[in-house]
Amino acid sequence: MEGLKVSDANLVVYVHPSKSKKVSEAILRELGSLLFKFSETFDGVLLAYDVNILSEVAKILPGIHPYLGVRLKAKLLLFYPKPDMLLEGKVVKLGQQSIHVIVLGFSSAIITEEDIREEFIYKVKHGQEVFASTSHKRHKIKVGTIIRFLVKSFDEEILHISGSLVPVHTGSIHWLDKNLEDCSHTNRSTKKRRESEGRGEMEEHDKVMVDGETFSLNIDHQIKKSKRRRRSEDSC
């Protein structure tokens, strides 16, 4: 899935003097407060981190409450959905006018009716709401389906995504992964068959050309032979 990245960051965490005896706990608490929130500094939502304290010596900052500045080196896992990226999520609610999805267990997404391609028709089958494809009868989207969709926009404040199922490479992941592989295999087979047919036509063409050339040589030989015969007869 797109929209995930790992970044290396050099950070400075400011710790209150009252936490000077438990600096490690204070640092983890400070970083923990940033989890699942969008950060402009990181340009993404912090999902996880791995911290390495570079020095046990902290710099005391001047002020009424002299905070301690602790330097860190951290590896950050960030979620940064951008327009036209492909994301994956689980359908949690489905209606005639929209599909609601949860991405990575915390970010909600909605795909409205105008962003669902025409091949998907809303149906209620055996009491269950479903979007079924009219082009591929096994391609269905219902509650619990893991889908792949395109990002249209991302609200950084409430972590809400607006998505689209208009592109043909979006829909049920289970169906896409199976059938895109089959389509690729079919395309490769078709390409090989066409190349084989092309080689056959070339060989046939070459054969005709060779036969034509041989035939021409035979004609020339016969013409020369006829001329020699006429000269012999004239001399007689």
Side-chain angles (χ1 to χ4, degrees), residues 117 120 131-133 136-140 170-172 175-176:
R117 63 181 180 273
F120 285 108
F131 273 97
S133 170
H136 310 281
K137 65 179 182 179
R138 295 183 181 275
H139 194 181
K140 299 177 181 179
T170 59
S172 167
W175 188 90
L176 289 171

Side-chain angles (χ1 to χ4, degrees), residues 17 41 60 83:
T41 302
I60 300 176

Side-chain angles (χ1 to χ4, degrees), residues 13-19 30 58-70:
V13 176
Y14 300 106
V15 180
H16 192 275
S18 63
K19 307 295 182 182
E30 184 68 24
K59 182 179 180 180
I60 300 176
L61 303 177
I64 299 176
H65 299 289
Y67 277 75
L68 309 176
V70 184

